[in-house]
Amino acid sequence: MKYPNIREEELKNSVATDFFKDFDCDKIVGFIDFAVKVKHKSSNLLSLQDLTGFNDEYLLWAEAKQKSTDIVAMLTQLVLTIGKARTFDKMMPPPFLGCFDCEKIAFVPYSEIQHIFYQNDFNWKITPSNTDTKEFRLVYEQISKILNNDTPWNTYVFDFESDEKELRRFIRENFIVGKSETAKLQIDKNNFITIYSKWLANVKPTIQVDSWDLAKKYGIIDGDFYLADLLSQENKTLKDKLFVLLQSDHYELDRKIDESGFNIFKTTAFSDNQKAHTLFWNKYERPPREEYWDYIIKRRDMLVPQDVRERKGSFFTPPQWVELSQRYLADVFGEDWQDEYYVWDCAAGTGNLLAGLTNKDRIFASTLDKQDIDVMFDRIANGANLWKQQVFQFDFLNDEFSPISKGGKLPDELYNIISDENKRKKLVVYINPPYAEGDTVLQKTTNRKGFAFTKVYEKYYSFLGGVAVGQLFMQFIARIYNEIPNSKLAMFSTLRHICSPKSSVFRKNFKAEYKRGFVVHANTFDNVAGHFPIAFLIWNFEKQNTIENVTCDILNEHGKNEGKKTFQDGNLVYLNDWLKKYYGTKENKIAVVGFVGNDFQNQKFVFLTIKGRGHHENYVNVSNLINISIYFAVRHCIEATWLNDRDQFLFPNKKWENDIEFHNDCLAYTIFHGQNRISAKDGVNHWIPFTEAEVAASYKFESHFMTSFISGKIKQNGYTNLFENDEGKFCIKREFSPAATAAFDAGRELWKYYHTQPNCNVNASLYDIREHFQARNNKGKMNNTSTDAQYTELIGNLRKKLNVLAQKIAPKVYEYGFLKQH
């Protein structure tokens, strides 16, 4: 170990001195631990800040840890730190991100990590060092995938001692000082997105467009103007197939040929005689090196506004899943399927799903945006395996199936295929459509207003049924199924149409033969965040089978098969229906339980409080406490994962009714679980599971309900107050299993330690105890850790015992039918 027993600051200073003495390591960049930048040799040289408006050129941003630490964890914290501050919007990112501890240092190219910063619906506000958040776990998984990839240029790891020679050579060959001291900044795939953000602030306001929001409704986005600028030389766009072209002092866009054969197009210029545009682009070398052009054009999706991407499906299908999906198609339809079947991607975007297909005579591609058509035309000109005549602009959810020869938009050959009963049996509609959920009657106040109100929506409202009609990918299915009967469908999508209770009407109407499919983690798709499965499913519409379930291969991020998973038809009776049998009354309530949905993705809404929140809740009292505890434990004892995210909790069989040990295990689990948010600040705490003597309390508790309930001293029915002990049916005495008893023992030690604290609240709940030791941040959220070592040990022990209890409860969840074993 090169740096044993030194503090983190000393470690950073030592690494800077020992390995980066030719560079400037003194500058602090936000909350990034360690930064390496060019050390300018002469004050006469222009700094990069003078040239670009960014700060001086950095070569490395790194995370540092005093003790030996997991590389992925360090890089994850660094990425969360950068993403939270959006440092890449304020200065040019370096070629490398890295991390080091007392033993080793690692480097990863920024371009390999860059896409993580542009994920949809990602919460960057969390504390980067908190390893317990779902965001930390999500980024950790993404970085693990990048570092474990077999590509030759993804990460370098060096031991400070055994690899010292190699490390010095790596720094010498890759951290080149003279590289940055050029007149203009080079643009590459590493920084073109960051430069775009600067272009938005400096150039976009000077382009003469009255309303960008209005322009966006007509498919005109600022990213296409940026592409026109970026891929230009001497202010002339080099790629003449792009939707927008820079023509010296103005832009041309939406070029068409009119009925008389003349070119027509829209133009717009600059409001400041192009001054801001000139100043901005004087800082950069245009165009980028030609080797980056195709990458930048294909990643146009990163320049499309978030709301447009969700509605139009401007998401890049990862090449590994494209290749794998085509292998599945060959397995289903035969090795020579491309010579026997026609293929139509009716949500093609820039066409990357069609990469790898060989018979271009039988391939058709359509997309909503003319900009994407222009990109595909440009790719065809550069060798893409498509016929230009079979690539066309078409709004699949609104346009009519009508041939070009009759004034429509479909190529005549494709129209003839879908119109011919036999030919359409040989048509595979192969798509990765938009997953956005548009407005429905129930959702007209959302920011997706208008997304779902298409002609397909109107035509197939009854076929899709209710809220499900707002799922855009399901609108694609509805039209293909009804208007191209007997065809085949091969589609990437979520599994809402299979699992969601809201899609029950659709499933009754949709009858087809399921052939084969696979599921992958959603975060393997760029710009998609969240723990849920994305499926590739192949359907045959010639056969009219009722769909009860689909079984898919489970693939990890490397494409390795890890087994099978069956996704059940959602036309079932659910756990929340069972809960309705045990609704409590507000009178004599001891808590309120929240509930939303019946699947794992809604687990966060299942919690206990005293006040409740006014909707989707049930009152808890002595009569239904055990039932609520069963409900609570069943919902939480099995960890939510990306694979079970859509699994539905069901109305159980009757076997649970006589399993008293199961009842008691669930009660213990509910008492000590973190989602039990009972707080004495909100009212009387009836959830103290110990007596004053057991925890050495300094005064009597306001309520002894829980200990009385456990000992069988509370009447179950007909009571007038919580402590009535006269005639009537009394609750049974609760005898706990060893696993539950261990949880009580661990909890008791935690309560006892809390009661030694000065000014403790004698009536404190577990939630109050956690709040006392963990405190809250400046936004009012409880911290995840505590500085009190003894508390940390005690709460850790309680959680460990609770996990053991959860493992004991979990098999009963399946045995009693609360979940189906898949």
Side-chain angles (χ1 to χ4, degrees):
M1 183 183 300
K2 186 172 180 65
Y3 302 108
N5 304 319
I6 64 173
R7 296 187 306 176
E8 186 175 301
E9 286 303 314
E10 292 179 272
L11 173 64
K12 290 189 284 187
N13 291 336
S14 297
V15 170
T17 301
D18 293 346
F19 294 98
F20 297 99
K21 60 181 172 41
D22 294 329
F23 304 91
D24 183 353
C25 301
D26 296 332
K27 186 72 178 288
I28 298 174
V29 181
F31 292 98
I32 296 171
D33 286 341
F34 187 80
V36 177
K37 73 171 184 173
V38 171
K39 184 186 290 183
H40 292 289
K41 297 178 181 179
S42 170
S43 60
N44 294 326
L45 286 172
L46 287 174
S47 74
L48 208 67
Q49 185 172 10
D50 297 325
L51 294 169
T52 67
F54 292 93
N55 290 341
D56 289 343
E57 183 179 16
Y58 284 90
L59 302 172
L60 173 70
W61 292 339
E63 180 72 20
K65 294 293 181 186
Q66 174 190 9
K67 297 180 180 179
S68 181
T69 307
D70 173 26
I71 287 173
V72 180
M74 288 192 283
L75 287 173
T76 299
Q77 183 171 337
L78 176 64
V79 167
L80 291 172
T81 299
I82 295 169
K84 183 174 185 177
R86 297 198 68 81
T87 314
F88 48 83
D89 284 340
K90 302 168 186 173
M91 59 184 66
M92 186 63 63
F96 294 99
L97 298 183
C99 61
F100 59 87
D101 56 27
C102 56
E103 298 175 334
K104 59 190 176 294
I105 187 168
F107 304 91
V108 59
Y110 181 85
S111 60
E112 296 287 334
I113 299 289
Q114 173 178 258
H115 67 275
I116 297 177
F117 297 119
Y118 299 95
Q119 298 178 94
N120 297 328
D121 302 323
F122 189 89
N123 176 22
W124 289 104
K125 297 180 181 179
I126 52 99
T127 302
S129 60
N130 182 5
T131 60
D132 293 330
T133 64
K134 67 177 182 180
E135 289 80 9
F136 190 98
R137 292 193 297 270
L138 178 62
V139 173
Y140 186 98
E141 290 173 7
Q142 293 173 317
I143 293 177
S144 295
K145 180 184 70 173
I146 293 167
L147 268 58
N148 291 327
N149 199 346
D150 292 332
T151 55
W153 198 190
N154 52 15
T155 186
Y156 285 88
V157 181
F158 302 92
D159 184 280
F160 281 125
E161 291 186 321
S162 61
D163 299 326
E164 180 176 351
K165 184 177 179 181
E166 291 83 355
L167 172 58
R168 293 190 184 281
R169 184 171 64 245
F170 177 86
I171 294 171
R172 184 171 62 252
E173 292 178 355
N174 291 282
F175 287 43
I176 302 171
V177 176
K179 175 182 175 183
S180 67
E181 295 173 351
T182 57
K184 291 187 177 184
L185 183 69
Q186 298 291 325
I187 302 171
D188 56 28
K189 66 179 184 178
N190 182 63
N191 60 20
F192 81 99
I193 294 296
T194 300
I195 295 171
Y196 171 54
S197 69
K198 295 295 179 183
W199 180 93
L200 288 174
N202 291 279
V203 178
K204 177 183 173 180
T206 69
I207 299 174
Q208 290 181 324
V209 175
D210 288 341
S211 171
W212 285 101
D213 287 337
L214 181 61
K216 186 167 65 175
K217 291 181 180 180
Y218 290 92
I220 299 170
I221 61 169
D222 49 46
D224 287 318
F225 288 81
Y226 172 69
L227 274 182
D229 280 0
L230 183 63
L231 299 175
S232 68
Q233 190 169 36
E234 297 180 356
N235 279 347
K236 292 274 189 176
T237 302
L238 299 172
K239 309 286 283 186
D240 61 3
K241 301 299 184 184
L242 295 181
F243 181 75
V244 177
L245 302 179
L246 175 62
Q247 300 286 26
S248 187
D249 59 354
H250 66 280
Y251 297 98
E252 294 180 1
L253 62 151
D254 197 17
R255 299 174 311 284
K256 300 175 183 176
I257 298 177
D258 66 13
E259 296 177 353
S260 58
F262 288 95
N263 285 315
I264 58 171
F265 49 82
K266 298 182 177 73
T267 65
T268 188
F270 299 92
S271 60
D272 65 344
N273 293 320
Q274 209 173 354
K275 290 181 180 178
H277 183 272
T278 302
L279 284 172
F280 183 84
W281 287 113
N282 278 344
K283 305 166 188 173
Y284 303 99
E285 187 67 44
R286 289 185 296 165
R289 284 159 49 186
E290 193 166 352
E291 65 193 75
Y292 299 128
W293 291 9
D294 191 53
Y295 175 85
I296 291 170
I297 290 171
K298 284 196 296 186
R299 296 321 310 265
R300 176 181 175 270
D301 63 297
M302 299 178 78
L303 307 177
V304 177
Q306 172 69 23
D307 60 334
V308 176
R309 274 191 307 192
E310 291 185 350
R311 176 167 59 90
K312 296 183 178 180
S314 300
F315 292 112
F316 188 78
T317 311
Q320 64 174 334
W321 304 140
V322 173
E323 180 182 354
L324 190 63
S325 69
Q326 292 172 12
R327 293 213 304 265
Y328 272 63
L329 285 165
D331 288 343
V332 170
F333 299 121
E335 184 177 347
D336 298 325
W337 76 280
Q338 294 189 55
D339 297 323
E340 298 176 9
Y341 288 82
Y342 301 96
V343 175
W344 181 15
D345 182 353
C346 56
T350 57
N352 83 296
L353 187 60
L354 302 173
L357 297 183
T358 57
N359 192 344
K360 65 180 180 180
D361 292 345
R362 303 175 78 89
I363 301 171
F364 299 87
S366 63
T367 189
L368 183 62
D369 279 339
K370 188 178 185 303
Q371 295 95 317
D372 286 335
I373 296 296
D374 292 338
V375 168
M376 279 195 278
F377 284 173
D378 181 79
R379 295 181 66 195
I380 290 169
N382 286 279
N385 194 38
L386 297 167
W387 287 118
K388 185 176 179 180
Q389 293 83 350
Q390 294 178 187
V391 174
F392 57 102
Q393 186 177 1
F394 187 77
D395 184 347
F396 192 81
L397 300 182
N398 288 290
D399 289 341
E400 293 297 323
F401 286 172
S402 179
I404 292 174
S405 61
K406 294 184 178 180
K409 295 184 177 181
L410 294 184
D412 284 23
E413 183 180 0
L414 178 60
Y415 179 78
N416 291 335
I417 292 168
I418 66 175
S419 301
D420 186 297
E421 182 177 353
N422 292 317
K423 285 185 177 180
R424 63 176 175 252
K425 291 179 182 179
K426 292 293 186 178
L427 174 64
V428 178
V429 181
Y430 178 37
I431 54 174
N432 180 11
Y435 306 156
E437 180 176 6
D439 261 346
T440 65
V441 174
L442 300 177
Q443 299 171 308
K444 288 186 178 178
T445 60
T446 71
N447 63 355
R448 296 182 173 94
K449 188 172 183 179
F451 277 18
F453 291 105
T454 65
K455 290 182 179 179
V456 170
Y457 172 99
E458 297 171 355
K459 188 172 183 178
Y460 296 112
Y461 183 88
S462 298
F463 177 86
L464 289 165
V467 177
V469 76
Q471 298 291 331
L472 295 189
F473 82 90
M474 290 179 66
Q475 291 190 25
F476 274 81
I477 298 174
R479 186 173 196 189
I480 297 163
Y481 179 83
N482 286 284
E483 297 185 28
I484 317 178
N486 299 324
S487 63
K488 313 297 184 282
L489 174 63
M491 180 178 69
F492 286 92
S493 73
T494 66
L495 286 152
R496 291 189 177 188
H497 57 313
I498 301 299
C499 303
S500 173
K502 295 178 181 178
S503 301
S504 60
V505 173
F506 166 82
R507 283 189 295 273
K508 290 178 182 178
N509 293 320
F510 178 76
K511 299 184 185 300
E513 179 189 21
Y514 169 66
K515 301 296 290 184
R516 197 180 174 198
F518 62 80
V519 290
V520 297
H521 196 306
N523 69 7
T524 62
F525 283 68
D526 287 357
N527 301 307
V528 179
H531 283 285
F532 61 90
I534 288 179
F536 176 72
L537 306 179
I538 302 173
W539 301 93
N540 176 17
F541 292 162
E542 282 189 73
K543 296 186 178 180
Q544 303 289 297
N545 299 340
T546 299
I547 308 301
E548 295 182 353
N549 55 64
V550 298
T551 299
C552 301
D553 296 327
I554 304 166
L555 304 179
N556 66 16
E557 64 269 25
H558 306 298
K560 182 180 178 181
N561 194 317
E562 296 189 334
K564 293 185 181 296
K565 165 80 172 177
T566 298
F567 296 90
Q568 298 289 339
D569 175 4
N571 297 332
L572 301 165
V573 185
Y574 299 101
L575 184 58
N576 285 347
D577 297 312
W578 176 82
L579 183 64
K580 292 176 184 177
K581 295 175 57 179
Y582 305 104
Y583 271 12
T585 60
K586 190 173 184 178
E587 183 183 12
N588 294 320
K589 72 177 176 69
I590 62 168
V592 176
V593 62
F595 62 91
V596 173
N598 291 281
D599 52 13
F600 279 92
Q601 66 174 324
N602 286 299
Q603 298 302 71
K604 63 184 178 182
F605 299 113
V606 179
F607 55 85
L608 291 165
T609 59
I610 289 178
K611 290 184 175 181
R613 53 181 188 169
H615 59 94
H616 295 295
E617 60 190 26
N618 187 2
Y619 296 116
V620 186
N621 53 43
V622 67
S623 297
N624 67 356
L625 175 57
I626 293 300
N627 309 98
I628 297 299
S629 296
I630 291 171
Y631 177 86
F632 183 96
V634 163
R635 291 294 299 261
H636 286 295
C637 70
I638 298 170
E639 182 182 5
T641 68
W642 72 269
L643 196 55
N644 68 17
D645 183 72
R646 298 296 190 263
D647 286 1
Q648 303 290 324
F649 289 92
L650 305 173
F651 197 113
N653 57 47
K654 293 187 176 183
K655 293 180 182 179
W656 68 272
E657 294 177 356
N658 297 318
D659 189 342
I660 303 303
E661 183 173 302
F662 173 69
H663 300 178
N664 296 342
D665 284 344
C666 290
L667 175 63
Y669 188 81
T670 301
I671 290 172
F672 295 112
H673 195 273
Q675 287 287 85
N676 185 331
R677 303 179 191 172
I678 298 295
S679 172
K681 295 177 181 178
D682 296 331
V684 177
N685 174 18
H686 297 297
W687 288 77
I688 303 174
F690 309 109
T691 64
E692 291 90 343
E694 286 182 280
V695 298
S698 61
Y699 192 58
K700 64 183 179 181
F701 301 148
E702 283 186 278
S703 170
H704 298 88
F705 170 82
M706 194 56 68
T707 52
S708 297
F709 180 84
I710 290 171
S711 60
K713 296 179 181 179
I714 289 182
K715 191 167 66 175
Q716 191 169 10
N717 294 299
Y719 56 86
T720 56
N721 64 68
L722 292 176
F723 308 104
E724 185 173 2
N725 254 346
D726 55 3
E727 299 179 64
K729 182 180 178 181
F730 286 80
C731 297
I732 64 171
K733 183 178 181 180
R734 300 286 159 184
E735 300 290 343
F736 293 100
S737 66
T741 300
F744 273 96
D745 292 342
R748 187 181 300 106
E749 293 305 308
L750 177 61
W751 252 268
K752 285 170 67 175
Y753 179 62
Y754 170 75
H755 280 277
T756 65
Q757 303 300 303
N759 302 316
C760 70
N761 180 352
V762 71
N763 296 297
S765 65
L766 174 61
Y767 187 80
D768 296 328
I769 293 172
R770 290 172 54 217
E771 183 180 35
H772 172 82
F773 288 107
Q774 294 171 210
R776 294 186 179 273
N777 60 25
N778 56 10
K779 295 184 178 179
K781 184 178 179 181
M782 190 185 300
N783 296 317
N784 290 283
T785 59
S786 170
T787 57
D788 189 304
Q790 187 169 347
Y791 164 78
T792 300
E793 181 179 351
L794 291 171
I795 193 70
N797 186 47
L798 174 58
R799 288 168 178 164
K800 182 178 178 181
K801 302 302 182 186
L802 207 64
N803 286 337
V804 173
L805 182 57
Q807 293 171 26
K808 181 175 184 293
I809 295 170
K812 301 281 184 77
V813 173
Y814 295 103
E815 180 183 346
Y816 297 154
F818 291 101
L819 278 175
K820 284 193 175 183
Q821 191 81 50
H822 300 310

